[in-house]
Amino acid sequence: MKLEEIISGLDIKGMEGAAEADIQRIAFDSREVSQGDMFVAIRGYEADGHRFIDQAISAGAAVIVCEEEPRETGPDTAWIRVENSRRALALMASAFHGHPSRDLLLIGITGTNGKTTIATLLHQLHTVLGFKSGLLSTIQVLMGDESHPATHTTPDPLQINAYLRRMVDTGCEYCFMEVSSHAIDQDRVEGLEFNGGLFTNLTHDHLDYHKDFREYLTVKKRFFDQLPGNAFVMVNGDDRNGKVMVQNCDAKKHTYSLRSVCEFRGRINEMHLDGSLLSINGTEVWVKLPGRFNASNLLCVYGTSVLLGQHPEEVIKAVSEVTPVQGRFETLKSKKGPTGIVDYAHTPDALQCVLDTIHEVNVTGGKIITVMGAGGNRDRGKRPEMARIAAEGSHKLILTSDNPRNEDPDGILDDMMKGIPSALHGHTMRIVSREEAIRTACIIAGERDIILVAGKGHENYQEIKGERIAFNDMQILKRNLN
């Protein structure tokens, strides 16, 4: 593609070289540059791409996009100076792939909890209704019939636009996309034209990355501030931060709620371990997902689908057919009697919601045994709070490793123990090995008991000392319960 087409949307501060150059590919990793490529120098959190400009030129880069004018490029390499190379990368990625977000209905879902479930259920529901759609989620990327494992909640701009282009080329009409706070802050979704934005909730998370909760909220709000007037916003009316999100937002505003009167209103009539009986805008429907949080998620899915033009009666029918998302309150009824539940809950609010749901559906009165840990090199502030919630909501708590990464696992457990009241220490065990912790829970569980394994959900690995080791909570549960 001609360079002038790729850079047409940029605010260029300086430039030297031929705008007629043909660009073969865009890269922001100098190790991936080859002859005729464009290299975008990005200031990262661990490395500055400007330090690798010489390597990119040696590899054959035709154009360098940067925030600082290069010292020397040579006659065969042009350079373009911009104020923000991250934003420039996103805008150029969209242009390079022909602005694919303009050719389908793109819905972005953001918030602390529920993003994966809502995005996945919207994809499921529209498939049930006969539409072809794409999915960009924490678990997987779906492009029509193609599936790829996900590496990030929200990929980098080059991947996003390549995926969207593939969706358009394979006939997808919709794309449902998780939008993380990291992605918003790092301009990964710049240049995308969203038709709708959904807000789930906002609770304590990612405060290792954001300075404080106020900054976290402000970053999330930025997504809605940038939506155009012809888009729509769907906001959880049960979260006090919902009103803040839509201040200064030009898009048309809609709300859903389980507790108050609003446009899309829901009520839980019955709740069981294998599903719930809900009332959605006055229509009763049995769904295969249990829990108050899932009722809220399904209400958002229903309202969004109606706003996208689907008939309410058809949507209600489809809602009854969608199935639980992998690693999100995923249940296993064992032959030995105990029930296992795997959930991705890795924030205080998510863990509280899962435990509340288990208590509500625990009609047999069995004991609740929770196995959980906390991620290393991440927000340490939530560790004691999550441990307290787990200890107070369980009959037995086994603290173990999550993804310790480069931290000492015992040190992480020490942080968690600080949040557990001394009266509950007798009900708490520490087992560093996650596999051994799950096995122990299965051994001590009685016939009516429920084992919750929280924190990793769908993940099929553990990160330990820089390595990813194969590991899956549900597989370990199946091995020890059946």
Side-chain angles (χ1 to χ4, degrees):
M1 178 181 279
K2 292 293 183 184
L3 176 61
E4 59 184 353
E5 297 178 63
I6 298 174
I7 64 174
S8 60
L10 301 188
D11 181 11
I12 296 172
K13 302 299 182 183
M15 181 174 178
E16 184 176 291
E20 297 79 23
D22 277 314
I23 301 302
Q24 303 303 311
R25 196 172 57 135
I26 302 173
F28 58 91
D29 185 334
S30 61
R31 295 167 296 184
E32 297 179 357
V33 174
S34 56
Q35 195 69 35
D37 289 350
M38 170 191 282
F39 173 66
V40 184
I42 290 176
R43 299 187 193 279
Y45 295 92
E46 297 180 0
D48 186 347
H50 292 79
R51 291 169 42 206
F52 303 98
I53 289 176
D54 289 345
Q55 292 182 23
I57 293 172
S58 298
V63 178
I64 304 294
V65 176
C66 49
E67 296 174 11
E68 297 175 6
E69 187 176 321
R71 291 170 298 177
E72 186 177 344
T73 58
D76 298 324
T77 307
W79 60 263
I80 299 168
R81 184 168 62 84
V82 296
E83 184 175 340
N84 183 333
S85 54
R86 283 184 178 278
R87 185 172 187 275
L89 173 65
L91 295 174
M92 292 187 297
S94 179
F96 185 78
H97 288 282
H99 301 286
S101 63
R102 298 175 181 176
D103 297 326
L104 41 66
L105 291 170
L106 179 62
I107 308 300
I109 303 102
T110 196
T112 304
N113 303 312
K115 297 187 297 294
T116 302
T117 297
I118 289 173
T120 304
L121 294 180
L122 278 166
H123 181 272
Q124 275 194 40
L125 186 143
H126 281 77
T127 301
V128 169
L129 292 177
F131 297 98
K132 200 169 186 179
S133 60
L135 173 68
L136 285 168
S137 81
T138 301
I139 297 177
Q140 63 181 335
V141 177
L142 294 174
M143 299 168 286
D145 298 326
E146 292 182 40
S147 175
H148 297 267
T151 56
H152 295 80
T153 298
T154 311
D156 67 65
L158 294 172
Q159 289 179 306
I160 291 172
N161 282 279
Y163 287 144
L164 293 178
R165 172 46 56 196
R166 182 63 182 155
M167 291 176 194
V168 172
D169 291 346
T170 55
C172 292
E173 298 176 61
Y174 303 92
C175 174
F176 304 105
M177 173 183 176
E178 291 187 54
V179 181
S180 68
S181 61
H182 292 66
I184 300 166
D185 187 57
Q186 296 170 12
D187 296 311
R188 291 185 224 160
V189 294
E190 286 290 326
L192 300 182
E193 298 188 11
F194 287 92
N195 300 93
L198 316 182
F199 172 72
T200 62
N201 49 61
L202 204 68
T203 62
H204 184 133
D205 200 18
H206 299 310
L207 299 191
D208 56 316
Y209 178 88
H210 303 289
K211 293 177 183 177
D212 50 36
F213 188 81
R214 170 56 57 181
E215 181 185 291
Y216 180 40
L217 181 148
T218 301
V219 169
K220 289 285 192 184
K221 184 178 183 304
R222 201 171 102 196
F223 172 70
F224 298 99
D225 289 347
Q226 295 174 343
L227 289 175
N230 60 352
F232 69 84
V233 173
M234 175 71 89
V235 173
N236 183 358
D238 295 331
D239 189 287
R240 61 182 180 180
N241 297 297
K243 292 181 180 179
V244 178
M245 288 294 145
V246 295
Q247 290 174 353
N248 310 316
C249 175
D250 293 331
K252 189 174 181 182
K253 304 168 185 65
H254 305 268
T255 56
Y256 64 96
S257 172
L258 290 173
R259 296 201 296 259
S260 59
V261 177
C262 62
E263 186 174 357
F264 298 103
R265 175 83 169 96
R267 186 179 69 247
I268 301 172
N269 296 332
E270 294 179 22
M271 196 187 302
H272 305 272
L273 192 57
D274 60 345
S276 302
L277 183 64
L278 305 181
S279 176
I280 297 179
N281 276 15
T283 300
E284 203 167 61
V285 57
W286 171 263
V287 298
K288 300 172 185 176
L289 287 76
R292 192 167 301 278
F293 59 95
N294 272 325
S296 180
N297 291 337
L298 284 165
L299 189 56
C300 179
V301 168
Y302 169 84
T304 301
S305 301
V306 171
L307 292 176
L308 286 172
Q310 316 313 338
H311 194 281
E313 289 182 11
E314 293 298 317
V315 175
I316 284 289
K317 183 180 177 182
V319 162
S320 71
E321 298 181 38
V322 298
T323 56
V325 179
Q326 181 187 2
R328 271 62 177 176
F329 211 90
E330 187 177 2
T331 61
L332 171 68
K333 181 62 178 175
S334 73
K335 297 174 183 176
K336 299 177 182 178
T339 297
I341 297 173
V342 170
D343 195 88
Y344 191 54
H346 60 284
T347 67
D349 182 69
L351 184 61
Q352 186 70 67
C353 287
V354 169
L355 285 167
D356 287 347
T357 295
I358 293 173
H359 280 281
E360 288 183 278
V361 300
N362 185 19
V363 293
T364 62
K367 293 180 179 179
I368 298 169
I369 304 168
T370 298
V371 179
M372 62 160 291
N377 303 111
R378 296 292 188 270
D379 185 357
R380 293 182 64 176
K382 66 183 181 182
R383 292 174 185 176
E385 185 181 0
M386 290 187 66
R388 176 190 61 77
I389 290 168
E392 293 177 348
S394 311
H395 297 91
K396 191 78 174 180
L397 171 61
I398 304 177
L399 294 179
T400 188
S401 297
D402 188 290
N403 291 319
R405 299 183 176 90
N406 294 316
E407 277 197 68
D408 174 17
D410 273 310
I412 296 173
L413 299 192
D414 288 342
D415 286 344
M416 299 187 79
M417 284 297 298
K418 293 173 184 176
I420 299 177
S422 56
L424 297 177
H425 282 193
H427 301 287
T428 304
M429 300 170 65
R430 292 175 54 146
I431 303 176
V432 169
S433 165
R434 192 172 181 91
E435 182 170 358
E436 186 60 34
I438 296 172
R439 183 184 297 117
T440 300
C442 294
I443 290 171
I444 65 176
E447 185 177 343
R448 296 179 300 167
D449 294 350
I450 297 174
I451 301 168
L452 168 64
V453 183
K456 288 176 58 59
H458 66 282
E459 292 178 353
N460 57 8
Y461 61 85
Q462 266 193 298
E463 292 186 51
I464 303 174
K465 295 182 179 179
E467 292 185 34
R468 283 197 170 191
I469 299 167
F471 193 95
N472 181 269
D473 285 348
M474 183 55 78
Q475 289 179 3
I476 303 299
L477 265 180
K478 287 179 179 178
R479 191 181 306 157
N480 289 279
L481 278 183
N482 289 330

